[in-house]
């Protein structure tokens, strides 16, 4: 009987050790890696396609989105975020609408602090 208990205890100990040493696989997600968007990397292209036909003169109230300094002025005074992200009234009706992907990119760029 002592041998049976000893064997059972040894088997149980082996099982416990094996279970405690089991490695787990990392959890995989389908989410794409977060990419930091920059003005020169991709935002400039979005603005060229959707905004620059009107926002191309630093002398006008509309502003000049052809360069980082021009768009940064509208970002700093809150106009860009209010009109493009919050109200989504830019581009105005009658113009080609901006894609949801472009809106998302602009929003991410603003949230990242508008890196150049």
């Amino acid at each position: 009987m002592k041998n049976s208990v000893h064997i059972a205890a040894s088997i149980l100990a082996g099982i416990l050790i094996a279970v405690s040493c089991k490695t787990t696989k990392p959890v995989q997600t389908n989410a794409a890696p977060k990419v930091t968007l920059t003005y020169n990397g991709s935002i400039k292209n979005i603005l060229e396609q959707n905004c620059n036909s009107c926002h191309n003169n630093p002398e006008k109230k509309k502003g000049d989105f052809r360069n980082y300094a021009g768009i940064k002025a509208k970002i700093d005074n809150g106009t860009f975020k209010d009109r493009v992200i919050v109200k989504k009234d830019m581009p105005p009706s009658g113009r080609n609408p901006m894609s949801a992907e472009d809106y998302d990119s602009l929003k991410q760029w603003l949230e990242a602090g508008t890196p150049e």
Side-chain angles (χ1 to χ4, degrees), residues 36-44 67-69 72 109 112-116:
T36 300
L37 299 170
T38 63
Y39 175 81
N40 290 314
S42 56
I43 299 303
K44 184 176 182 179
N67 59 60
Y68 183 75
K72 189 75 167 114
W109 179 62
T114 65
E116 190 172 1

Side-chain angles (χ1 to χ4, degrees), residues 68-106:
Y68 183 75
I71 185 69
K72 189 75 167 114
K74 292 293 184 180
I75 290 166
D76 290 346
N77 74 18
T79 306
F80 185 83
K81 183 176 181 179
D82 181 56
R83 298 292 303 275
V84 177
I85 304 301
V86 176
K87 292 179 182 173
K88 290 191 177 182
D89 63 356
M90 287 290 153
S93 60
R95 299 269 183 189
N96 289 334
M98 195 179 319
S99 71
E101 182 179 317
D102 286 349
Y103 275 113
D104 288 343
S105 293
L106 291 171

Side-chain angles (χ1 to χ4, degrees), residues 8-23:
S10 295
I11 292 172
L12 182 58
I15 291 171
L16 290 174
I17 290 171
V19 170
S20 68
C21 292
K22 181 181 176 185
T23 58

